[in-house]
Amino acid sequence: MSLAEDLLELAAATAREAGRMLVDKRPADGPDVVQTKSSPTDVVTQMDRAAEQLIIERIRAARPDDAFLGEEGGTRAGGSGVRWVVDPIDGTVNYLYDLPDWAVSIAAEVDGETVAGAVEMPRRGESYTAVRGGGALLHTASGARELRVNARVPLAKALVATGFGYDAARRARQAEVLTGVLPNVRDIRRGGSCCVDLCSLAAGRVDAYYERGVQAWDIAAGALIVQEAGGRVEGLDGAPAGPELTVAAGPGTFEALHALLAPLDPASG
């Protein structure tokens, strides 16, 4: 088994355990909000912190010399050349409201390149995995299937996922961009979780995705899953995907969406 496959096995098992814990221990009246981040609506719950602690403890028990980048502050140095990029709950507001579209996202980098990714969606009963160069899979109770993005979908027939930031001024700007996108596509979907959107793209459930403001932990695993399913994940004009803008789609659709977005200045605000 290669290093990447070993890392994926650990990522997938840890994501499953964290997902089960988040379902089983979610308070019946909803988790308490313990902190806000960029705005009063950008929340951290006690379960975010508990899940990240579980993930770090499990991975460090198996690989004590690895580094970590976690959304909730679990950033640690390491000397092995492997770094784990962790989002314990992507879609925290969905989790807070007991909506199903949230996920545990764990990616492993080797010397700065993402080589393995696992996204666990407990409320959907779905697990998504990918190894660089080895394809992407969706695992359910009925088995596993290989993922392929939809390719060459004309924008007029494309179902496009997106998301919005928490800052009011940024939301207003994103709404302006959306008014330039919506008339040119089949429809828009806003689910509330970046990595769920990316996995939906990989599974062919949407045709494209774009968003400003996503962070490394939001996209690390999901981007690899899309790429291994045949899609592109980039910023504007060939820049890396990241906080400025992330655009993802299959061949043909990506280029058309990029051409639509670029003059709308979606990375501003």
Side-chain angles (χ1 to χ4, degrees), residues 137-252:
L137 295 172
L138 165 58
H139 310 261
T140 65
S142 59
R145 71 174 176 92
E146 187 175 356
L147 297 174
R148 297 304 299 175
V149 299
N150 299 329
R152 292 172 290 281
V153 179
L155 276 188
K157 295 184 178 180
L159 186 60
V160 179
T162 193
F164 307 112
Y166 292 100
D167 177 77
R170 173 164 290 180
R171 285 184 172 188
R173 178 71 190 112
Q174 288 172 321
E176 292 174 357
V177 173
L178 185 61
T179 62
V181 174
L182 187 54
N184 295 287
V185 300
R186 182 191 294 272
D187 207 348
I188 292 289
R189 291 292 179 268
R190 192 277 197 266
S193 166
C194 169
C195 68
V196 172
D197 286 342
L198 288 170
C199 289
S200 295
L201 172 61
R205 295 171 178 169
V206 298
D207 301 304
Y209 163 80
Y210 78 93
E211 188 170 353
R212 172 162 166 74
V214 297
Q215 303 297 322
W217 45 79
D218 298 312
I219 63 173
L224 179 64
I225 290 165
V226 170
Q227 290 163 348
E228 289 300 317
R232 292 176 63 180
V233 185
E234 299 176 17
L236 284 177
D237 300 318
E244 288 298 308
L245 192 69
T246 296
V247 183

Side-chain angles (χ1 to χ4, degrees), residues 12-198:
T14 304
R16 282 194 301 272
E17 183 181 356
R20 286 194 301 269
M21 183 272 289
L22 287 164
V23 171
D24 293 344
K25 295 190 176 181
R26 183 185 184 278
D29 56 352
D32 292 332
V33 174
V34 295
Q35 180 184 343
T36 59
K37 294 183 283 188
S38 62
S39 82
T41 55
D42 186 6
V43 299
V44 179
T45 71
Q46 81 271 31
M47 298 305 294
D48 287 273
R49 292 182 173 175
E52 185 164 291
Q53 181 178 356
L54 181 154
I55 291 165
I56 291 174
E57 287 176 354
R58 294 296 182 272
I59 293 175
R60 286 185 72 85
R63 297 185 55 87
D65 297 325
D66 292 353
F68 286 87
L69 174 63
E71 180 177 14
E72 310 310 337
T75 301
R76 305 185 185 197
S80 68
V82 173
R83 184 175 77 157
W84 298 87
V85 184
V86 174
D87 194 340
I89 309 177
D90 187 52
T92 298
V93 173
N94 285 346
Y95 181 75
L96 183 66
Y97 280 81
D98 201 22
L99 294 168
D101 280 356
W102 57 269
V104 180
S105 176
I106 303 177
E109 300 174 343
V110 176
D111 297 329
E113 179 183 50
T114 304
V115 299
V119 173
E120 182 73 17
M121 301 181 196
R123 290 288 306 280
R124 286 191 178 189
E126 296 180 344
S127 305
Y128 294 78
T129 61
V131 171
R132 183 159 304 277
L137 295 172
L138 165 58
H139 310 261
T140 65
S142 59
R145 71 174 176 92
E146 187 175 356
L147 297 174
R148 297 304 299 175
V149 299
N150 299 329
R152 292 172 290 281
V153 179
L155 276 188
K157 295 184 178 180
L159 186 60
V160 179
T162 193
F164 307 112
Y166 292 100
D167 177 77
R170 173 164 290 180
R171 285 184 172 188
R173 178 71 190 112
Q174 288 172 321
E176 292 174 357
V177 173
L178 185 61
T179 62
V181 174
L182 187 54
N184 295 287
V185 300
R186 182 191 294 272
D187 207 348
I188 292 289
R189 291 292 179 268
R190 192 277 197 266
S193 166
C194 169
C195 68
V196 172
D197 286 342
L198 288 170

